[in-house]
DNA sequence: CGCGCGATTGAGTAATTTCAAATCTAGTGG
DNA sequence: CCACTAGATTTGAAATTACTCAATCGCGCG
C-alpha cells in the first residue's frame, strides 16, 4: 500500500479505495542501493518504475565511452527506458541509482490491463504522457536556442533540488556541455 | 468524413462506424495556403490539428530574431503549441504553412469529451503521446550526443521526405546548426 | 596521514558561428 | 525566349566558443 502513489495519481484523477486497491495490486516494490543498476544496456525492459524515494539517472554511453543523461528521476517521477519498454526491444541505456532508492514497478502487461480495465488510469497516463511530451519539447528548445550559461541558469531555476543532490559532472552531461565548461560557468555567477 | 483520420486512429484502435461518426463529429476542417499562420505568438491555443495534407512548421523565435524549429508536421501528424494548448496559456511559438494545408482540428473541451466518453479514444491518445515522448527523447539524445554531421545523416535517414520538401535553411534550424555549416556538411557527402 | 573523487584552472586546439560576398535557381513578366 | 528578381545556397575568412588534455586543488573518509 503506497500512499505516495495514491497521492500522485489523485493529483489527476480521484480514486475510491477499491479502485486504488485494484491498481496498487498490480505494482511490486523494489529497493536498490546507490550505484546499483536498475536497467542495463542490452536487456529487455519489462517494467516502468515509480520513484517513492531516492534518485536515479538514465544514461546513454556512446562509442567513445562518453556518457549523456537522458533523464533524472526523483520522488514521484517515473523512469524506465521507455523506448525499449513500449517497443519491447532491448535497452540502449543504463539506469543507475544516484542514491538508495525505493521503487514501485509495473509490467507492460499489467499496465495495459489496468488501463483497459480502468478508464481513469488510461486517462491518468494520457495526461502524464502529454505533460511529459511538453516537458521534453521545452528541453529540446533549450538545447537548440540557448548557450550553456543560459541553459545552466534555466536548470538551476527549474530543478534547484537536483543541484544539491547531483554532482556537477552529471549535470553537465544532462545539459550537453563538458564539466570544465560548467565549472567555468558556475564560478561566474 | 475523413478517411485519413479514421485510418490513422485505426492503426491503434479499431472503430465501428458509429464510434467513428461520434469522434469525427467533434472535428472541424480548415484549409490554409503556403506562408499563412496557423498559430501566432501570444495567442491562446484552442485546438490541436491533424494534418490531412500539406506541411507545417512550429517555430520559436528568440530575442535576436533567430528562429528554431520545434517540430514539423506532415500528413497524419498532429501539431499545435501543445504547451499552450494543455495549459491553456498563450503561445510562445508560431506555426506556419510550408505548403498549402488541409487540417482537421478539435478543441480541448471536445478532446476531453471524446476521451471521457470513449475509452478507445483515451487509449488512442495515451499511446500516441507515449510514442511522441519516445520520439522526443531520441531527438534529445541526438542533440546531446552527436556532431552536426551525424545529426544531419540521422535526419536524412529518418525523414527522407522532409529533405525533399523543406529548405536546407529550415532543416538547419531543426538540427540546431547554422545554414552555412549544414551547407558545408552536405557537400561532403 | 594519505587516498580517491569531484571540482577547478590553464593552455592549446578544434569546431562552429558570424559576416560578407558570390553564385545558383525558380518563377514572373515583357 | 530572355531578362529580371527574390530567395536559397554556397564559399571564404576571421572570430568566437567550447572542447580536450593535463595538472592542481580541496575535501571527506578510512
Amino acid at each position: 500500500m503506497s500512499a505516495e502513489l495514491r497521492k500522485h495519481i489523485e493529483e489527476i484523477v480521484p480514486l475510491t479505495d477499491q479502485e486504488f486497491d485494484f491498481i496498487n495490486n498490480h505494482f511490486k516494490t523494489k529497493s536498490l542501493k546507490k550505484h546499483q543498476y536498475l536497467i542495463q544496456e542490452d536487456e529487455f525492459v519489462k517494467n516502468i518504475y515509480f520513484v517513492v524515494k531516492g534518485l536515479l539517472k538514465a544514461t546513454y554511453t556512446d562509442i567513445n565511452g562518453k556518457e549523456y543523461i537522458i533523464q533524472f528521476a526523483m520522488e514521484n517521477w517515473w523512469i524506465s527506458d521507455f523506448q525499449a519498454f513500449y517497443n519491447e526491444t532491448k535497452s540502449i541505456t543504463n539506469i543507475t541509482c544516484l542514491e538508495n532508492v525505493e521503487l514501485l514497478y509495473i509490467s507492460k502487461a499489467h499496465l495495459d490491463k489496468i488501463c483497459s480495465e480502468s478508464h481513469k488510469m488510461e486517462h491518468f497516463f494520457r495526461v502524464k504522457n502529454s505533460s511529459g511530451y511538453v516537458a521534453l519539447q521545452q528541453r529540446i528548445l533549450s538545447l537548440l536556442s540557448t548557450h550553456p550559461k543560459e541553459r545552466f541558469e534555466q536548470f538551476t531555476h527549474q530543478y534547484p533540488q537536483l543541484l544539491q543532490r547531483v554532482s556537477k559532472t552529471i549535470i553537465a552531461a544532462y545539459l550537453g556541455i563538458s564539466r570544465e565548461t560548467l565549472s567555468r560557468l558556475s564560478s561566474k555567477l
Side-chain angles (χ1 to χ4, degrees), chain A:
Chain A
M1 163 63 196
S2 164
E4 291 84 359
L5 180 61
R6 180 163 186 173
K7 197 176 158 212
H8 175 68
I9 295 171
E10 290 202 321
E11 282 178 14
I12 291 169
V13 282
L15 297 173
T16 65
D17 291 350
Q18 288 81 0
E19 285 170 337
F20 180 67
D21 276 352
F22 168 73
I23 293 157
N24 195 227
N25 284 338
H26 290 84
F27 282 85
K28 292 180 184 165
T29 61
K30 180 166 199 146
S31 293
L32 287 173
K33 300 282 180 196
K34 187 171 175 173
H35 299 306
Q36 285 190 300
Y37 282 80
L38 176 62
I39 291 175
Q40 270 182 277
E41 215 177 316
D42 264 329
E43 291 175 351
F44 283 97
V45 177
K46 295 212 295 277
N47 307 300
I48 56 174
Y49 299 85
F50 174 77
V51 183
V52 175
K53 184 142 187 46
L55 180 60
L56 307 94
K57 69 181 206 287
T59 60
Y60 167 76
T61 304
D62 73 13
I63 33 168
N64 304 315
K66 211 170 162 184
E67 194 174 281
Y68 305 91
I69 310 286
I70 298 167
Q71 71 157 122
F72 292 112
M74 54 185 176
E75 289 78 12
N76 299 322
W77 292 26
W78 296 82
I79 192 167
S80 188
D81 180 333
F82 293 104
Q83 179 169 40
F85 175 78
Y86 287 122
N87 300 332
E88 307 189 57
T89 56
K90 286 183 179 175
S91 177
I92 57 159
T93 69
N94 292 292
I95 299 182
T96 58
C97 303
L98 295 171
E99 302 173 357
N100 296 343
V101 298
E102 294 169 29
L103 303 166
L104 294 170
Y105 67 92
I106 185 168
S107 68
K108 183 151 197 313
H110 277 173
L111 175 67
D112 286 343
K113 179 161 172 272
I114 65 172
C115 284
S116 81
E117 294 189 15
S118 161
H119 192 152
K120 282 185 181 177
M121 286 310 288
E122 190 98 68
H123 178 72
F124 170 78
F125 282 109
R126 173 172 76 91
V127 171
K128 267 287 146 196
N129 287 343
S130 64
S131 312
Y133 185 89
V134 168
L136 293 194
Q137 264 197 354
Q138 286 303 109
R139 188 172 171 204
I140 286 170
L141 196 49
S142 174
L143 286 169
L144 286 177
S145 71
T146 67
H147 293 288
K149 186 182 173 193
E150 198 174 341
R151 212 139 77 218
F152 179 57
E153 286 168 356
Q154 285 179 359
F155 182 88
T156 303
H157 183 259
Q158 192 169 9
Y159 304 113
Q161 328 92 305
L162 287 180
L163 215 56
Q164 308 302 319
R165 294 164 76 175
V166 175
S167 76
K168 296 265 180 66
T169 301
I170 293 175
I171 291 174
Y174 178 88
L175 297 173
I177 59 186
S178 72
R179 61 170 171 280
E180 292 94 338
T181 298
L182 182 59
S183 171
R184 282 181 253 264
L185 247 45
S186 46
S187 65
K188 278 185 204 161
L189 295 180

